[in-house]
Amino acid sequence: MTSFNRISVIGLGYIGLPTAAVFANQGVEVTGIDSNPEVVASINAGRPHFGEPNLDALVRRVVENGKLRAAAEVPAAEAFLVAVPTPLRDGGHADMSYVRAAAEAIAPVLVVGNLVILESTSPVGSTEQLARWLAELRPDLGFPMDQGELADINVAHCPERVLPGRIIDEVVNNARVIGGMTRKCAQRALSLYRIVVQGDCRVTNARTAELAKLSENAYRDVNIAFANELSLICDRHKINVWELVEMANLHPRVEILSPGPGVGGHCIAVDPWFIVDGAPDDAKLIRMAREINDAKPDFVCQKVAERAKSLVEPVIACLGLSYKADVDDLRESPAVEIVGKLADMAVAELLIVEPHISSLPAELADRGLSLTDFDRALDKANLVLLLVDHNAFMRVDRDLLKDKFVIDTRGAW
Ligand code: SAJ
């Protein structure tokens, strides 16, 4: 079994940086590559450029002991892990341009015996596509789609599946799906992940690994959509949906998830579209779930507007902007969408509270909105809209809410 002493991780975002750091922590020489010079400088100074529990100390340690360094250019290595974004583009397609750029950056330094792993969540067929791009750039080398087990370069898909807020724990302890383009590709990838992963590592082919990752997030999306659909049905029947879920979940084989203001984050709100895009006629339920979850922010806005109309001078404390509790990540956040829409509807004065950030995203700042602190917002508002169930909001003094209308989109209060 090959051992790996030197690896390069392409993309130092939410997945790439923790992954690079845990390999470095096991003594592997890791170079993390990022196109953003500020990210490179920050990591070389031992400072992660985003918040994640336990990441700061780990990055500081491995940078100080010289095992992790960040750079703009890809150096030669034994293995290359690609952890770049695969965002959603109009029409529901995955934008694979960052993966293509990674292939272009890796290709010049590839040598016989190298292993290339795609970690980014990607549509079915992407690992083969990555290998084809590399083959076009390096016709002197043999790749698995042409040479099978005799290939010079091994290529595999090992999708990340860590939960933001628990990344450092999950990157080590979660089970991993390791999808090789050939058996040898899978076995080599397995030996790499064994360096850091304590969870079960299961080997399969690349296409199965690709669809497994997308299915995990689509599964959750469909189940949240079920809960969100119930919340609309309950509203119509004047039933408290939280109580309903609690009652139904008493059944030993029922586990309904929590309705909320919508589904955010860069994963669950995005990945199911890659399944729909690849099989539009078959993925009916998966598409419908996306539509149900995407429609939830509008429903919340409509409820808030109705309530605001009953007040003479409505002032709304909007609590939380991130896509879920206790993270600073605003990507695809339904809370941001709701606040933006409420501002456009001009239904009330809006006081925005988000303890995890220090300035508003441009799309809200450009609407003339600004951040307020929690106490001031609660003091001034006559309508309190809980959008994110941050711990900081759970400790609220209930007496302060007594004379105000409360819309709790998370069922947390
Ligand atoms: N949400 C609800 N109700 C629930 C659970 C979640 O409305 O009962 C909402 C959250 O508020 C949030 C969104 O869904 O807006 C997604 O949050 P999440 O905590 O369910 O998941 P993510 O997006 O933070 O991370 C997911 C995880 N996937 C699964 O749990 C199947 C994680 O393991 C993946 O690694 C990650 O996507 C990813 O990178 O793909």
Side-chain angles (χ1 to χ4, degrees):
M1 195 90 10
T2 349
S3 70
F4 294 89
N5 301 312
R6 226 153 33 107
I7 69 167
S8 285
V9 177
I10 325 299
L12 291 175
Y14 285 82
I15 304 305
L17 179 58
T19 303
V22 295
F23 272 102
N25 198 39
Q26 291 303 316
V28 179
E29 304 276 340
V30 184
T31 308
I33 313 300
D34 206 282
S35 55
N36 183 341
E38 284 170 20
V39 168
V40 170
S42 171
I43 290 165
N44 282 332
R47 282 194 310 272
H49 54 103
F50 57 90
E52 174 64 33
N54 305 320
L55 183 64
D56 280 43
L58 178 62
V59 168
R60 198 176 329 111
R61 185 163 68 241
V62 291
V63 169
E64 271 170 14
N65 73 15
K67 289 296 178 187
L68 172 65
R69 74 178 185 96
E73 305 281 329
V74 183
E78 289 147 9
F80 301 87
L81 268 77
V82 177
V84 296
T86 47
L88 186 66
R89 288 288 170 248
D90 289 347
H93 310 299
D95 175 353
M96 298 303 285
S97 61
Y98 299 97
V99 177
R100 166 94 217 200
E104 285 164 5
I106 294 167
V109 296
L110 275 183
V111 294
V112 175
N114 277 168
L115 169 66
V116 180
I117 293 180
L118 179 63
E119 277 225 7
S120 313
T121 305
S122 304
V124 176
S126 300
T127 310
E128 287 155 30
Q129 176 65 72
L130 169 61
R132 279 198 299 276
W133 281 328
L134 291 169
E136 275 164 34
L137 296 160
R138 290 297 302 272
D140 55 316
L141 293 169
F143 285 83
M145 62 284 186
D146 305 317
Q147 312 260 311
E149 300 292 16
L150 300 177
D152 296 322
I153 306 295
N154 294 128
V155 184
H157 181 54
C158 304
E160 62 80 14
R161 41 171 37 166
V162 290
L163 194 73
R166 294 215 299 261
I167 294 180
I168 298 300
D169 168 44
E170 292 205 358
V171 81
V172 171
N173 292 311
N174 279 4
R176 293 297 292 250
V177 176
I178 300 190
M181 282 186 68
T182 65
R183 279 170 64 90
K184 185 172 171 204
C185 294
Q187 288 306 323
R188 292 205 62 220
L190 176 65
S191 66
L192 176 66
Y193 281 93
R194 276 273 168 249
I195 297 172
V196 291
V197 175
Q198 283 167 22
D200 193 11
C201 291
R202 298 292 286 271
V203 165
T204 181
N205 60 54
R207 292 171 80 84
T208 304
E210 287 160 348
L211 190 56
K213 163 70 200 198
L214 300 177
S215 304
E216 291 159 20
N217 281 354
Y219 169 85
R220 197 144 166 93
D221 199 42
V222 167
N223 281 281
I224 299 169
F226 181 78
N228 278 336
E229 184 164 288
L230 281 178
S231 74
L232 308 189
I233 294 166
C234 282
D235 183 72
R236 189 171 291 275
H237 292 305
K238 302 202 173 2
I239 290 170
N240 178 330
V241 69
W242 313 105
E243 194 182 344
L244 171 96
V245 169
E246 194 186 332
M247 295 302 136
N249 282 351
L250 292 172
H251 187 287
R253 285 173 297 283
V254 174
E255 205 177 330
I256 303 171
L257 292 180
S258 303
V263 168
H266 56 301
C267 310
I268 295 185
V270 170
D271 303 349
W273 287 122
F274 299 170
I275 299 182
V276 175
D277 191 38
D281 296 335
D282 302 314
K284 298 188 188 74
L285 177 64
I286 293 171
R287 179 203 302 270
M288 179 71 77
R290 272 291 63 246
E291 288 168 357
I292 290 168
N293 287 333
D294 273 354
K296 195 69 197 287
D298 273 338
F299 174 81
V300 173
C301 289
Q302 190 196 315
K303 287 281 148 200
V304 174
E306 277 167 22
R307 178 51 76 201
K309 259 196 229 143
S310 68
L311 296 164
V312 185
E313 275 184 51
V315 180
I316 308 176
C318 304
L319 304 185
L321 283 182
S322 62
Y323 83 94
K324 65 175 185 178
D326 303 320
V327 298
D328 63 0
D329 193 340
L330 305 188
R331 287 177 296 176
E332 317 291 331
S333 173
V336 172
E337 184 181 340
I338 289 165
V339 171
K341 283 191 167 142
L342 290 176
D344 293 346
M345 290 158 80
V347 291
E349 182 187 344
L350 302 181
L351 304 172
I352 301 159
V353 184
E354 177 44 82
H356 295 270
I357 58 171
S358 51
S359 58
L360 281 182
E363 61 182 296
L364 297 183
D366 291 350
R367 287 164 156 120
L369 299 169
S370 57
L371 280 171
T372 312
D373 71 71
F374 188 28
D375 294 340
R376 186 168 172 275
L378 279 193
D379 182 48
K380 265 194 91 186
N382 44 24
L383 201 172
V384 179
L385 173 62
L386 183 72
L387 292 167
V388 186
D389 45 342
H390 288 314
N391 264 325
F393 301 148
M394 296 305 107
R395 292 188 282 268
V396 67
D397 175 357
R398 299 299 153 118
D399 280 353
L400 294 175
L401 300 174
K402 233 176 29 227
D403 305 324
K404 305 175 193 297
F405 287 110
V406 173
I407 298 182
D408 174 2
T409 66
R410 298 278 180 177
W413 282 343

